C-alpha cells in the first residue's frame, strides 16, 4: 500500500459486532410513546429573546444554548488511561459556562461498556444520551424498539454543523438504518495513520548492547528474545529482570498472525479475505502453526507469564520501569512514556517460516458520537450541545482539551498541531492527552479531509512517525479488506448471536495452547467446538455481506 493509497483510503463505517447480545425489540407502546415525544419536540411554541429565536427553553442559535440552566445525564465510555473524571476537566467546565448546560457523566471503562450498556437498554432506564458508549450492533438491534430518538428532524432544525457532515454520502451511509432514519451523530478522527492498529516494538538499546540485528523473521525474533533472556540485555548486572516479550491478553496476539498467513485486523471478527473468499482464521491450519510458535516462546520463558492476565496499565508500569524487550502497541509512548520511547523501534511485520509477511490493517470509519434517548425531555438542547462541540472553532477542544492546557496549538488558517514533543516527563502522550481532553469519549468528528489539510506535523514527532510507519509498512498490507458496513438487522443479530459463542472458544484456546502446548487431539476438539458454535454459518453470512459490497 503506497502513500497515495493510504491518504485516499475510503471512509466507510465500522459496524463492530458486540460480544454481548441484547434482544431486539421492546413493546410497541414504548415505540409509540417515543414517536409521540419526538413529534412533540418540533411543535413547541417559539418566541424571541435577546434577538434570538427561543423554542421552549432552547435558543436555536448562538450561546448560551438554553435560557434557564439544565442538567443532562450522559453515559460515556472511557479508556484505562483516564484518571481525571470528565466532570473535573477544564474543557467540561468551560462548555458548561458557555452553553448553560451542566453534564452529569456516567463513565464506564471500555472493557465493561458492552455489558453495562446492555443492562441499561434491557431495563429501559436510560440517560439523556449515550456518548461514544454504544456499538453499531446495539443500535442496529434496538433502533426500532422505541429506545432511541430519530435525529433527522432535530439535525435539520438545530444542528447545521452535523448536517454539513451528512452532506458527505460516505458519512451519511454509515449512519442511516433500514427505516431510512439516523439515530446517532458521527464522531472520530479519520486519520490516515490509524489504518494499522499496532506494531512490534523492539528495545533498540538492548539489541545494540548485545550486538544483535533487528529481527526480520519469526526465527530472528525468537533468537533476539532468547538473547534478551539469557544475557544481561539492560546492562545492570542482573540477567533475571528482563522481560523479553509481553502483551495484554489472548486477544492481543491476533496482531501477530500475519507471519503465518492469516492476518486479521479485528480480534472481534477474526476474518481474513483471500481471492474473494472469507476465511475464519481460528479454523485455518495456519492458526495452529501460530499457536505452536508462541507456545515455543512461552515454554522457554520468552513470553511474560502475566501476558494473559495483565491489563494495559500493568504493561505500562513494566514499560516505564525499563524491563520490556518487546511488545505490541500502536504508539510506543503509550506503553513507555515519552522519555523512553526513543529507546525502542517499530519493526515491519515478521516473516514466517513459509514466507508470509503480512500486516493487519483496516479501513477507517466513523464512530457513533451521540445516541439520544427517546425519553429525554431535552433532545433539542442535547443535539445543539453536540453540534456546538463539532463547530469549527470548538471542534478540537472536546477531544484535545483547551488550547491553554498545552496538548495542541492553533497555527492559523484553521491549521493545528499536537504538542506531543511537550509531553510532561514520566507520562505517555496518550496518557497526557486522555486526562486533559475527552479523547475517544468525544462526540466530535474530524473528517479525513479536515485532518489531512489542517493537521501540521512539523513538531509533532509522535504523529509524524506514526504516518511514516503506515507509509513504510503499508506495503505489507493485504490486498483485500472487508469494508465494515451497516448490516441488516436480521444479519447483524445472527452474526452477533454466533459470535458470542465463538469468541470465548477462541480466547480460551489461544491461552491454553500458548501456555500448555498444542496437540492434534485438542486442536480437533477445538475445531469441532467451532463447528458446533456455527462458525461455518458465520462465514457464510460474512461472505454474503462481502459479495454484496463488491457489487455496489
Amino acid at each position: 500500500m503506497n502513500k497515495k493509497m493510504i491518504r485516499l483510503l475510503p471512509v466507510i463505517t465500522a459496524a463492530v459486532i458486540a460480544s454481548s447480545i441484547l434482544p431486539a425489540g421492546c413493546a410497541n407502546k414504548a415505540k409509540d410513546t417515543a414517536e409521540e415525544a419526538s413529534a412533540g419536540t418540533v411543535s413547541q411554541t417559539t418566541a424571541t429573546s435577546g434577538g434570538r429565536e427561543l423554542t421552549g427553553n432552547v435558543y436555536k442559535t448562538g450561546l448560551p444554548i438554553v435560557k434557564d440552566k439544565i442538567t443532562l445525564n450522559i453515559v460515556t465510555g472511557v479508556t484505562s488511561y483516564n484518571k481525571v473524571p470528565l466532570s473535573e476537566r477544564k474543557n467540561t467546565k468551560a462548555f458548561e459556562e458557555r452553553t448553560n448546560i451542566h453534564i452529569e457523566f456516567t463513565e464506564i471503562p471500555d472493557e465493561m461498556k458492552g455489558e453495562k450498556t446492555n443492562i441499561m437498554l434491557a431495563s429501559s432506564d436510560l440517560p439523556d444520551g449515550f456518548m461514544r458508549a454504544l456499538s453499531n450492533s446495539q443500535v442496529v438491534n434496538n433502533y426500532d424498539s422505541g429506545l432511541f430518538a430519530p435525529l433527522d428532524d432535530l439535525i435539520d432544525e438545530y444542528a447545521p454543523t452535523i448536517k454539513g457532515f451528512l452532506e458527505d454520502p460516505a458519512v451519511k451511509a454509515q449512519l442511516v438504518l433500514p427505516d431510512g432514519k439516523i439515530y446517532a451523530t458521527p464522531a472520530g478522527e479519520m486519520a490516515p495513520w490509524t489504518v494499522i492498529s499496532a506494531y512490534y516494538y523492539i528495545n533498540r538499546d538492548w539489541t545494540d548492547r548485545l550486538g544483535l540485528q533487528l529481527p526480520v523473521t519469526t526465527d530472528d525474533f525468537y533468537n533476539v528474545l532468547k538473547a534478551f533472556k539469557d544475557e544481561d540485555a539492560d546492562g545492570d548486572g542482573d540477567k533475571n529482570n528482563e522481560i523479553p516479550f509481553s502483551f495484554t491478553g489472548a486477544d492481543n496476539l491476533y496482531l501477530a498472525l500475519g507471519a503465518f498467513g492469516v492476518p486479521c485486523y479485528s480480534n472481534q471478527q477474526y476474518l481474513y479475505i483471500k481471492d474473494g473468499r472469507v476465511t475464519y482464521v481460528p479454523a485455518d491450519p495456519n492458526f495452529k502453526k501460530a499457536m505452536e510458535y508462541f507456545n515455543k516462546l512461552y515454554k522457554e520463558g520468552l513470553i511474560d507469564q502475566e501476558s494473559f492476565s495483565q491489563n494495559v496499565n500493568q504493561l505500562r508500569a513494566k514499560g516505564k520501569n525499563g524491563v520490556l524487550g518487546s511488545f505490541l502497541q500502536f504508539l510506543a509512548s503509550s506503553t513507555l512514556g515519552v522519555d523512553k520511547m526513543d529507546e525502542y523501534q517499530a519493526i515491519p511485520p515478521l516473516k514466517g517460516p513459509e514466507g508470509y509477511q503480512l500486516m493487519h490493517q483496516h479501513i477507517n470509519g466513523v464512530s457513533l458520537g451521540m445516541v439520544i434517548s427517546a425519553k429525554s425531555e431535552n433532545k433539542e438542547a442535547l443535539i445543539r450541545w453536540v453540534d456546538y462541540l463539532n463547530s469549527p472553532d470548538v471542534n478540537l477542544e472536546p477531544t484535545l482539551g483547551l488550547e491553554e492546557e498545552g496538548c495542541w496549538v492553533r497555527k492559523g488558517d484553521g491549521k493545528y498541531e499536537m504538542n506531543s514533543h511537550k509531553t510532561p516527563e514520566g507520562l505517555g502522550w496518550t496518557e497526557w492527552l486522555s486526562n486533559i481532553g475527552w479523547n475517544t469519549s468525544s462526540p466530535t468528528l474530524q473528517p479525513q479531509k479536515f485532518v489531512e489539510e489542517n493537521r501540521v506535523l512539523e513538531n509533532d514527532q509522535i504523529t509524524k512517525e506514526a504516518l511514516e510507519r503506515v507509509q513504510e509498512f503499508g506495503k505489507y498490507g493485504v490486498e483485500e479488506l472487508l469494508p465494515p458496513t451497516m448490516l441488516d438487522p436480521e444479519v447483524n443479530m445472527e452474526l452477533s448471536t454466533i459470535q458470542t459463542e465463538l469468541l470465548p472458544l477462541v480466547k480460551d484456546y489461544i491461552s491454553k495452547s500458548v501456555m500448555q502446548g498444542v496437540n492434534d487431539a485438542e486442536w480437533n476438539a477445538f475445531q469441532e467446538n467451532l463447528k458446533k458454535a456455527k462458525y461455518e454459518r458465520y462465514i457464510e453470512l460474512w461472505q454474503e455481506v462481502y459479495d454484496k459490497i463488491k457489487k455496489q
Side-chain angles (χ1 to χ4, degrees), residues 1 117 139 174 200 221 304 360 415 448 451 481:
M1 182 184 297
T117 53
V139 174
Q174 301 172 49
Y200 279 103
F221 188 59
D304 182 2
H360 56 275
K415 299 186 182 301
Q448 185 165 320
V451 174
L481 294 173

Side-chain angles (χ1 to χ4, degrees), residues 14 28 78 89 97 110 123 175 193-194 293 316-317 334 381 393 414:
N28 289 332
V78 293
R89 310 288 178 90
E97 183 177 345
D110 279 344
S123 68
L175 301 171
W193 47 83
T194 61
Y293 172 77
R316 191 180 308 128
S334 298
D393 293 338

Side-chain angles (χ1 to χ4, degrees), residues 185-246:
T185 64
E189 182 192 54
M190 317 317 297
W193 47 83
T194 61
V195 298
I196 296 174
S197 60
Y199 305 85
Y200 279 103
Y201 285 94
I202 302 290
N203 192 317
R204 186 60 186 264
D205 282 5
W206 291 10
T207 56
D208 288 347
R209 183 176 292 112
L210 299 177
L212 303 172
Q213 297 294 318
L214 291 173
V216 175
T217 68
T218 50
D219 285 343
D220 293 341
F221 188 59
Y222 164 80
N223 291 328
V224 167
L225 297 186
K226 191 166 180 58
F228 285 171
K229 178 179 182 295
D230 295 341
E231 304 181 39
D232 184 18
D234 61 6
D236 68 350
D238 183 357
K239 295 183 180 181
N240 298 316
N241 63 342
E242 292 90 348
I243 298 175
F245 179 45
S246 192

Side-chain angles (χ1 to χ4, degrees), residues 24 45 56 64 68 122 140 150 152 182 229 337 345 403 449 531 539:
T45 302
D68 299 320
V140 169
D152 305 75
I182 291 172
K229 178 179 182 295
Q345 182 170 331
E403 184 181 6
K449 182 178 180 181
K531 289 181 179 179
I539 292 303

Side-chain angles (χ1 to χ4, degrees), residues 157-176:
E157 190 165 357
Y158 293 98
T161 300
I162 296 173
K163 186 176 181 178
F165 291 154
L166 297 176
E167 290 176 357
D168 181 345
V171 172
K172 186 173 183 178
Q174 301 172 49
L175 301 171
V176 176

Side-chain angles (χ1 to χ4, degrees), residues 387-418:
D387 194 68
Y388 169 70
L389 298 184
N390 275 282
S391 60
D393 293 338
V394 183
N395 185 281
L396 299 175
E397 292 182 341
T399 306
L400 309 178
L402 303 181
E403 184 181 6
E404 66 193 53
E405 297 181 88
C407 273
W408 65 290
V409 61
R410 288 183 171 90
K411 307 294 286 187
D413 297 326
K415 299 186 182 301
Y416 65 99
E417 185 173 43
M418 310 291 269

Side-chain angles (χ1 to χ4, degrees), residues 264-298:
C264 55
Y265 166 72
S266 172
N267 60 358
Q268 295 296 305
Q269 297 170 335
Y270 280 104
L271 301 176
Y272 170 48
I273 303 174
K274 184 176 181 180
D275 299 327
R277 305 306 303 170
V278 179
T279 297
Y280 190 58
V281 168
D284 192 297
N286 285 333
F287 181 78
K288 179 184 177 184
K289 296 177 182 177
M291 296 303 102
E292 291 170 340
Y293 172 77
F294 287 110
N295 172 248
K296 175 184 176 181
L297 301 187
Y298 191 88

